């Protein structure tokens, strides 16, 4: 099966790719404005068809043995590995991310997720069976929730499709995924890979449509039992509102504004290199990217100078060039949004480097048709300013000084978000305090960004709730049922007297 054949359309329902019933839409390469694919978006009737296919496939898939589901996911990992080059190329063409990131991070991470959940499918955890009341044997069953409706974002289309689909189907659910209409292509490739791996038709379905039509219809659909959403906090609130009206289980991974806290005993060189990588990964379009660096005053000036020097050397240009460090942002509209944050900040802060739309790439490429924005460093902003509090979602880092440890940790927690953070120190007591007191779902020490399939990813506060990856994610896609057997064979139980009769 050619995973890159998108000719039939941008909907994948019951094992077949098809055209949507809605408006035409162009998937655009943000590097040069060229059209990658022309698709027809999904309307409510396409969502209905996808949910019906998932509902029809649910009895067979949920009753398959964990071993059978595990074998299917193992085959899926192999299919994805065989298509790795195509996946990386298509991911770069629709998102603009550097091909070296797609090749070395997005694609291998997705393959590893598939391999992990192949194993996790066979590990359903629960309390040991036992006679907890003395007169009954109790045990716990973990069962599939049902049809899952998932909405994934545009920044990591392939990985987010995997993060949504894999734990859901490993646990025996079926799924309808709505990817962002800007970047649906690798989600469609993932669904086709599921079919190639022998996963039954209808278990994995993809509908490509707009949020207000296809997305909201999917979230509110009466046959959808659980909703999983990754995206902005504002849209997440709307998803929760719709889902709550029909008492659906929800899983929300929302915005972030990750602090990068550098104490005065940190390895300065490591911190400088770490923040450059962590702030610029995926063009800063990452909800865990380092966006606010708080640096204890003795290291502050040297830290700013070091970051400015490295930022100035970042190679911006054609994302298909393997030497490119920073490609375009996902669209011109998003580039303009990021630039707006920086332009407004000029009135109250200092733009140390960057902040001007580039015209030429490091290799001489004409960048004027693309959605490019340079690595941008800002200092002198107040803690309550827009660039410190708002989610810019681009290659923009704000650096602020702090004095004592109490102040540094207080500032780190001083946003509505709580998805990820890092602490940089050579003191074990400082690191333990930071990991304990920073309110975030992930806190790295002396690094920032690495993720692994075995460990959970998810937020605190306005960054949402629920976990992706890991056994914790699999558990979220299951319902826990308590089963209790009487062991006495006695007709008149002692507890009956509390309702009628005497002892």
């Amino acid at each position: 099966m050619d995973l890159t054949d998108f000719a039939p359309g941008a909907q994948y329902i019951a094992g077949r790719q098809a055209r949507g019933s809605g408006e035409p839409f162009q998937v655009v390469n943000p590097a040069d404005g060229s059209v990658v694919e022309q698709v027809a978006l999904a309307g409510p009737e396409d969502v209905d068809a996808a949910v019906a296919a998932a509902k029809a496939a649910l009895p067979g898939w949920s009753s398959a043995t964990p071993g059978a589901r595990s074998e299917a996911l193992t085959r899926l990992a192999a299919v994805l590995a065989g298509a790795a080059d195509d996946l990386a190329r298509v991911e770069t063409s629709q998102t603009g991310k550097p091909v070296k990131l797609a090749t070395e991070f997005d694609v291998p991470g997705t393959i590893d997720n598939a391999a992990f959940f192949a194993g996790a499918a066979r590990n359903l955890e629960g309390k040991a069976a036992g006679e907890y009341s003395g007169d009954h044997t109790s045990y716990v069953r973990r069962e599939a929730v049902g049809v899952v409706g998932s909405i994934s974002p545009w920044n990591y289309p392939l990985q987010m499709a995997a993060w949504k689909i894999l734990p859901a189907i490993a646990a025996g659910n079926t799924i309808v995924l709505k990817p962002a209409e800007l970047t649906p292509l690798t989600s469609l490739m993932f669904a086709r890979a599921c079919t190639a791996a022998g996963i039954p038709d209808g278990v994995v379905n993809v509908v490509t449509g707009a949020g207000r039509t296809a997305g909201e219809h999917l979230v509110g659909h009466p046959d959808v039992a659980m909703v999983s959403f990754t995206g902005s906090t504002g849209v997440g609130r709307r998803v929760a509102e719709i889902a709550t009206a029909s008492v659906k289980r929800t899983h929300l991974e929302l915005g972030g504004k990750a602090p990068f806290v550098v104490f005065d005993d940190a390895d300065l060189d490591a911190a400088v290199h770490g923040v450059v990588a962590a702030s610029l990964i995926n063009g800063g379009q990452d909800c865990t990217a380092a966006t606010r660096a708080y640096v204890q005053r003795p290291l502050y000036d040297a830290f700013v100078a070091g970051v400015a020097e490295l930022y100035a050397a970042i190679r911006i240009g054609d994302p298909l060039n393997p030497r490119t460090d920073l490609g375009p942002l996902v669209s011109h509209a998003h580039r303009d949004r990021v630039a707006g944050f920086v332009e407004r900040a000029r009135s109250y802060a200092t733009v140390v480097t960057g902040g001007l739309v580039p015209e030429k790439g490091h290799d001489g490429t004409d960048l004027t048709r693309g959605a490019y924005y340079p690595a941008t460093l800002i200092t002198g902003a107040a803690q309550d300013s827009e660039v410190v509090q708002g989610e810019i979602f681009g290659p923009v880092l704000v650096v602020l000084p702090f004095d004592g440890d109490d102040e540094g940790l207080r500032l780190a927690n001083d946003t509505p978000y709580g998805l990820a953070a890092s602490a940089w120190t050579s003191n074990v007591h400082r690191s333990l305090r930071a990991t304990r007191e920073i309110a975030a779902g992930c806190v790295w020490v002396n690094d920032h960004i690495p993720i692994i399939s075995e460990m959970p990813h998810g937020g605190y506060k306005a960054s949402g709730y629920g976990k992706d990856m890991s056994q914790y994610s699999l558990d979220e896609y299951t319902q826990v049922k308590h089963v209790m057997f009487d062991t006495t064979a006695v007709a008149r139980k002692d507890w009956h007297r509390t309702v009628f009769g005497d002892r």
Side-chain angles (χ1 to χ4, degrees):
M1 177 184 287
D2 179 8
L3 302 187
T4 64
D5 180 9
F6 304 111
Q11 318 306 323
Y12 198 80
I13 300 171
R16 291 175 295 280
Q17 208 155 302
R19 289 181 57 82
S21 60
E23 296 296 317
F25 185 84
Q26 292 180 337
V27 178
V28 174
N29 185 335
D32 58 13
S34 62
V35 176
V36 182
E37 288 290 338
Q38 174 102 15
V39 302
L41 297 179
E45 55 267 51
D46 302 302
V47 174
D48 290 342
V51 172
K55 184 178 179 180
L58 181 63
W61 184 249
S62 64
S63 63
T65 65
R69 293 197 292 267
S70 174
E71 289 172 2
L73 292 177
T74 298
R75 294 193 298 270
L76 173 60
V79 172
L80 294 170
D85 290 343
D86 286 341
L87 288 165
R89 176 179 54 80
V90 174
E91 192 78 331
T92 292
S93 73
Q94 66 178 351
T95 64
K97 67 179 62 194
V99 72
K100 66 177 179 180
L101 180 68
T103 301
E104 299 180 32
F105 182 75
D106 298 59
V107 173
T110 299
I111 296 167
D112 187 68
N113 283 174
F116 171 80
F117 281 108
R122 305 184 75 150
N123 182 37
L124 300 178
E125 293 188 343
K127 198 165 186 176
E131 289 69 49
Y132 296 99
S133 77
D135 293 334
H136 306 82
T137 297
S138 290
Y139 67 86
V140 169
R141 289 179 57 87
R142 283 197 177 270
E143 298 178 346
V145 177
V147 176
V148 177
S150 289
I151 300 176
S152 57
W154 49 257
N155 57 336
Y156 290 101
L158 177 63
Q159 281 201 312
M160 295 300 100
W163 285 18
K164 300 300 184 193
I165 292 169
L166 291 169
I169 67 173
N173 303 282
T174 56
I175 189 168
V176 178
L177 175 76
K178 192 206 85 66
E181 62 269 33
L182 290 176
T183 56
L185 302 181
T186 48
S187 298
L188 291 165
M189 293 174 70
F190 191 97
R192 290 170 71 97
C194 290
T195 298
I199 294 172
D201 293 348
V203 172
V204 176
N205 307 274
V206 175
V207 289
T208 300
R212 291 193 178 276
T213 52
E216 293 198 1
H217 191 66
L218 176 62
V219 171
H221 199 288
D223 289 333
V224 169
M226 176 178 174
V227 172
S228 177
F229 170 80
T230 296
S232 71
T233 297
V235 177
R237 290 192 185 100
R238 176 61 178 159
V239 168
E241 177 186 334
I242 297 170
T244 300
S246 52
V247 200
K248 290 177 171 59
R249 182 183 297 195
T250 55
H251 172 285
L252 303 176
E253 199 265 84
L254 307 177
K257 190 69 177 176
F260 187 102
V261 184
V262 183
F263 294 98
D264 58 12
D265 62 348
D267 181 326
L268 178 63
D269 189 50
V272 167
H273 281 79
V275 81
V276 170
S279 61
L280 300 183
I281 186 171
N282 205 37
Q285 300 166 125
D286 185 312
C287 47
T288 63
T291 59
R292 301 177 289 140
Y294 296 102
V295 184
Q296 204 154 14
R297 209 169 293 275
L299 297 184
Y300 177 80
D301 289 340
F303 182 90
V304 170
V307 173
E309 181 181 358
L310 288 182
Y311 266 18
I314 290 297
R315 297 168 297 188
I316 188 168
D318 178 5
L320 287 174
N321 184 332
R323 289 178 53 80
T324 293
D325 301 319
L326 188 63
L329 302 186
V330 73
S331 68
H332 285 82
H334 184 63
R335 191 270 307 276
D336 293 345
R337 176 184 177 276
V338 170
F341 274 93
V342 177
E343 291 310 304
R344 291 188 295 274
R346 293 184 191 277
S347 66
Y348 58 80
T350 300
V351 178
V352 177
T353 188
L356 297 173
V357 174
E359 296 183 355
K360 290 288 184 182
H362 69 95
D363 54 0
T365 305
D366 178 7
L367 304 184
T368 56
R369 291 182 300 162
Y372 290 90
Y373 199 75
T376 300
L377 176 63
I378 296 176
T379 61
Q383 175 66 16
D384 62 355
S385 63
E386 181 187 45
V387 289
V388 175
Q389 295 292 325
E391 189 176 23
I392 301 172
F393 224 59
V396 179
L397 175 69
V398 185
V399 184
L400 299 89
F402 70 92
D403 292 305
D405 290 16
D406 291 350
E407 182 188 14
L409 296 176
R410 177 181 60 78
L411 293 172
N413 283 328
D414 184 27
T415 70
Y417 301 107
L419 186 58
S422 64
W424 296 72
T425 176
S426 60
N427 184 301
V428 66
H429 301 293
R430 263 180 166 166
S431 66
L432 287 171
R433 181 186 177 190
T435 56
R436 182 175 65 249
E437 295 187 12
I438 293 176
C442 175
V443 181
W444 293 281
V445 176
N446 296 330
D447 207 344
H448 192 118
I449 284 296
I451 54 175
I452 50 174
S453 297
E454 291 83 358
M455 287 292 154
H457 175 89
Y460 286 17
K461 304 191 294 185
S463 291
Y465 49 82
K467 300 299 180 185
D468 290 312
M469 301 195 295
S470 81
Q471 185 71 35
Y472 295 96
S473 178
L474 181 78
D475 292 349
E476 293 205 10
Y477 288 91
T478 64
Q479 299 189 94
V480 175
K481 178 186 286 183
H482 171 215
V483 178
M484 187 179 239
F485 286 88
D486 170 63
T487 60
T488 66
V490 174
R492 295 191 60 184
K493 306 291 194 295
D494 186 55
W495 71 268
H496 291 177
R497 67 185 172 82
T498 62
V499 181
F500 72 99
D502 301 315
R503 190 186 290 275

